[in-house]
């Protein structure tokens, strides 16, 4: 039995879309049929690079393309809400890059529309779909390390002092929390299956008005905790650790995980390794396509209610720092 082909449109011919399209080559039954950007010239260049048959100079044209089943939204953070709604209103399924939106209010607007109109929508948190992360979830569900009481996850890199960079540009949604912090926050949400009841935080605010570094301590019911750190000015060891009453799990470079090690007290360590050739975006694409083929309007792996809850947590953290963006007004 053949696999029905799912036809993709790409919104935003930037670097992350470039990596996503490269990974789609590893997805069975995936075909990229169109790309659109604010500049027709950039869209045409992207289309030529990847042999995509159609290029558009506006997202509205892409939304009207009857050939497109689903759109990958890889545009700048502040544009996610309006871009996604453009496609949802045209009846297109959407896989929207993280951070899903600038705040919880925007996320709620998108999610409400998708649910009320039964159009597929999913946050493109690629980490959640990696084979090594699936193995971690299996170990947790099987109770391999007992009751989880502490999780630690960090993600930081040093871009140097580049005030013109998108990552430090306040107007473009820059800052560590939205770009890097979304990874450990989502990871910990996955492990605990809920949001913290108490949040303590500290941020180093930079000259451009965005957070260049942060530290978070989350507290959950039962005095369970999580420690998260992030930076765009520090090269960090980007690993995750999950500590339970019977052992622990270590996930090296957790956001792009290719392995995970289970260490149960008194037993030899067990390591799961993923020898994939793709970068890893292929797995979120395959999940989205599986949902479409099965007639589901959201993913069980990255459900919309959890995406909204995570954005609400991020809003709470930003409020502690008095960090606001134009979208908040």
């Amino acid at each position: 039995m053949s696999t029905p082909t799912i036809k993709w449109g790409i919104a935003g011919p930037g670097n992350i879309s470039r990596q996503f399209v490269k990974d789609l080559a590893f997805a069975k039954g995936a075909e990229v049929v169109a790309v659109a950007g604010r500049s027709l010239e950039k869209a045409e260049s992207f289309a030529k690079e990847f042999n995509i048959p159609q290029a558009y100079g506006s997202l509205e044209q892409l939304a009207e393309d009857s050939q497109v089943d689903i759109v990958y939204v890889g545009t700048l953070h502040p544009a996610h809400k309006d871009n996604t709604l453009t496609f949802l209103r045209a009846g297109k399924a959407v896989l929207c890059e993280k951070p899903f939106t600038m705040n919880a209010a925007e996320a709620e607007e998108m999610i409400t529309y998708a649910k009320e109109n039964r159009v597929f929508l999913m946050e493109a948190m690629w980490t959640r779909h990696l084979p090594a992360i699936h193995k971690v979830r299996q170990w947790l569900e099987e109770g391999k390390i007992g009751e989880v009481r502490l999780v630690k996850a960090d993600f930081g890199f040093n871009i140097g002092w580049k005030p013109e960079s998108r990552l430090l540009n306040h107007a473009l949604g820059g800052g560590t929390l939205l770009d890097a912090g979304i990874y450990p926050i989502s990871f910990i949400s996955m492990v605990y299956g809920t949001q913290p009841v108490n949040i303590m935080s500290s941020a180093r605010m930079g000259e451009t008005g965005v957070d260049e570094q942060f530290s978070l301590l989350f507290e959950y019911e039962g005095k369970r905790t999580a420690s998260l750190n992030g930076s765009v000015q520090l090269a960090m060891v980007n690993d995750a650790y999950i500590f339970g009453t019977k052992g622990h799990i270590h996930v090296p470079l957790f956001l792009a995980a290719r392995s995970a090690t289970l260490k149960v007290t008194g037993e030899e360590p067990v390591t799961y390794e993923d020898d994939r050739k793709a970068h890893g975006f292929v797995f979120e694409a395959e999940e989205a396509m599986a949902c479409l083929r099965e007639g589901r309007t959201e993913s069980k792996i990255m459900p919309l209610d959890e995406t909204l809850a995570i954005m609400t947590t991020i809003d709470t953290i930003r409020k502690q720092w008095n960090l606001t963006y134009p979208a908040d007004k």
Side-chain angles (χ1 to χ4, degrees):
M1 185 175 177
S2 62
T3 302
T5 298
I6 301 293
K7 296 182 178 180
W8 287 82
I10 305 298
N15 288 331
I16 198 159
S17 294
R18 179 168 283 103
Q19 186 60 69
F20 181 80
V21 171
K22 287 180 181 178
D23 258 33
L24 272 182
F26 294 91
K28 186 176 181 181
E31 181 184 356
V32 183
V33 297
V35 58
R38 292 175 296 176
S39 159
L40 177 59
E41 183 181 4
K42 289 183 178 178
E44 287 177 335
S45 176
F46 191 95
K48 183 178 180 181
E49 180 180 354
F50 293 104
N51 197 29
I52 300 170
Q54 185 65 59
Y56 296 112
S58 77
L59 301 192
E60 288 75 16
Q61 288 176 299
L62 177 61
E64 294 169 1
D65 189 330
S66 61
Q67 292 294 307
V68 174
D69 299 313
I70 181 170
V71 178
Y72 169 79
V73 173
T75 53
L76 295 174
H77 306 345
H80 284 181
K81 187 200 78 169
D82 288 345
N83 293 166
T84 296
L85 285 172
T86 292
F87 297 117
L88 292 177
R89 287 167 180 155
K92 304 298 186 189
V94 175
L95 176 63
C96 180
E97 258 307 332
K98 77 277 168 242
F100 195 61
T101 50
M102 293 301 297
N103 55 43
E106 289 191 337
E108 186 170 24
E109 185 177 349
M110 287 161 52
I111 290 168
T112 297
Y113 185 91
K115 287 187 173 183
E116 288 181 350
N117 293 276
R118 296 196 55 76
V119 185
F120 176 83
L121 176 62
M122 185 176 90
E123 177 187 1
M125 174 48 70
W126 67 294
T127 300
R128 190 70 65 100
H129 305 269
L130 299 174
I133 300 302
H134 280 297
K135 178 56 68 173
V136 169
R137 297 185 78 165
Q138 180 186 328
W139 288 335
L140 293 173
E141 289 165 4
E142 293 173 350
K144 295 290 190 181
I145 61 170
E147 179 191 353
V148 175
R149 294 186 180 176
L150 171 64
V151 184
K152 187 177 186 301
D154 301 330
F155 181 35
F157 48 91
N158 189 352
I159 65 167
W161 177 241
K162 298 178 181 178
E164 74 285 355
S165 165
R166 176 190 64 79
L167 289 166
L168 296 179
N169 189 321
H170 180 267
L172 297 181
T176 305
L177 186 63
L178 291 183
D179 259 280
I182 186 69
Y183 283 102
I185 290 172
S186 184
F187 182 84
I188 286 166
S189 176
M190 178 196 77
V191 173
Y192 279 131
T194 187
Q195 300 305 302
V197 296
N198 189 33
I199 298 172
M200 289 161 277
S201 70
S202 176
R204 182 186 183 95
M205 304 302 293
E207 293 179 20
T208 61
V210 301
D211 58 305
E212 296 181 0
Q213 179 182 325
F214 69 77
S215 292
L216 306 171
L217 179 62
F218 287 178
E219 185 178 43
Y220 298 80
E221 292 182 359
K223 297 297 181 182
R224 299 171 297 159
T225 59
S227 169
L228 310 78
N229 298 278
S231 179
V232 292
Q233 298 287 278
L234 296 173
M236 301 174 67
V237 178
N238 301 318
D239 290 5
Y241 293 87
I242 306 169
F243 297 97
T245 52
K246 295 180 181 179
H248 73 270
I249 297 169
H250 174 213
V251 189
L253 189 58
F254 77 96
L255 66 151
R258 288 180 178 269
S259 69
T261 297
L262 168 69
K263 180 63 175 74
V264 177
T265 304
E267 299 181 11
E268 288 297 311
V270 174
T271 297
Y272 171 88
E273 293 187 355
D274 167 24
D275 60 355
R276 67 179 186 266
K277 292 181 173 59
H279 180 67
F281 289 165
V282 59
F283 302 110
E284 65 181 0
E286 288 177 335
E287 168 65 7
M289 292 192 296
C291 288
L292 294 188
R293 289 176 181 130
E294 295 165 15
R296 292 187 279 133
T297 55
E298 68 176 290
S299 166
K300 295 178 182 178
I301 298 172
M302 190 68 250
L304 293 173
D305 286 348
E306 186 179 1
T307 287
L308 178 57
I310 289 169
M311 291 309 305
T312 301
T313 294
I314 290 174
D315 281 2
T316 300
I317 295 164
R318 288 200 293 117
K319 188 174 182 180
Q320 293 183 2
W321 304 343
N322 294 316
L323 173 58
T324 62
Y325 292 103
D328 299 322
K329 297 180 176 67

